[in-house]
Amino acid sequence: MSQHQLSDHQPEGGFSTPVGSRRTFFQWVTLAAAGVVGMGLAIPLLGSLISPAFTRRRLAWVDVGAIDELPAGRPTQLDHVTTTRDGWMEAKSRKAVWAVKHPQGEVTVFSPICTHLGCGYRWDNAENKFLCPCHGSSFGINGQVLGGPAPRPLDRLPAKVESGRLLVMYKDFKSGLAESIEL
Ligand code: FES
């Protein structure tokens, strides 16, 4: 192939410049640079889209009320709405917990589910204990089993007080086991 055939442009002075090849080279460089930038943007974006699928169910702290409004020494049922995030799914559900404010001010919060087979229980003021209507289990104010088939004490929920508000993290537990195992 002759020098004349390679040249797209023949300036005065006899130098030839392979303009077509240079253009192609710059096109490749531009494409490669765009590809690198594109990958740089796409990878974090892809990661943020995919990562929720691998994220374990996330529980949130929920404000269930003012700590001052809880009567000391008597369990109070507190209803609230809790949000659970599982991958891309977000679900809101109505929950209830039992909160006990002790005379010294500390608070214990119980799951509202009986540890025997999962029924809801209630506090009985006259008997001064929690009673489950399903199979007759009963629990003391500290959650201890007083009677019936319940295999373990009431399950405790994480709780904290911030700015005078009681915050609770709702969780579910397996029923019927001697050990408290979170679902
Ligand atoms: S579910 Fe409560 S005693 Fe059976």
Side-chain angles (χ1 to χ4, degrees):
M1 193 176 288
S2 71
Q3 179 70 31
H4 181 72
Q5 284 173 310
L6 283 172
S7 301
D8 293 318
H9 178 62
Q10 185 87 35
E12 279 183 31
F15 292 106
S16 68
T17 309
V19 173
S21 301
R22 183 183 288 173
R23 183 181 297 143
T24 307
F25 172 73
F26 282 122
Q27 281 173 344
W28 276 108
V29 169
T30 308
L31 272 175
V36 170
V37 172
M39 291 281 281
L41 292 172
I43 288 172
L45 181 67
L46 209 61
S48 69
L49 287 174
I50 292 174
S51 63
F54 300 102
T55 306
R56 198 177 179 275
R57 196 161 53 110
R58 264 190 298 142
L59 306 168
W61 288 102
V62 181
D63 183 334
V64 293
I67 196 78
D68 287 347
E69 290 173 12
L70 288 178
R74 184 161 56 82
T76 306
Q77 183 176 323
L78 299 171
D79 299 322
H80 63 280
V81 174
T82 191
T83 305
T84 309
R85 289 183 187 82
D86 195 349
W88 290 287
M89 304 287 283
E90 181 176 301
K92 288 190 186 302
S93 49
R94 288 202 152 275
K95 300 288 185 189
V97 295
W98 282 97
V100 181
K101 185 160 85 173
H102 302 282
Q104 294 77 22
E106 72 274 28
V107 180
T108 306
V109 179
F110 297 111
S111 159
I113 308 296
C114 175
T115 55
H116 178 224
L117 291 178
C119 287
Y121 59 86
R122 63 180 177 80
W123 175 253
D124 189 296
N125 267 329
E127 294 209 33
N128 205 37
K129 56 188 177 185
F130 292 107
L131 298 175
C132 179
C134 290
H135 313 96
S137 288
S138 57
F139 306 86
I141 198 167
N142 293 316
Q144 73 276 24
V145 178
L146 298 178
R152 66 173 188 267
L154 295 175
D155 295 309
R156 294 181 179 221
L157 297 173
K160 60 183 178 180
V161 177
E162 281 184 5
S163 305
R165 309 290 300 178
L166 177 61
L167 306 182
V168 173
M169 187 177 286
Y170 192 91
K171 295 179 177 190
D172 288 304
F173 299 86
K174 286 187 181 174
S175 300
L177 302 176
E179 255 182 288
S180 183
I181 296 176
E182 194 184 325
L183 287 173

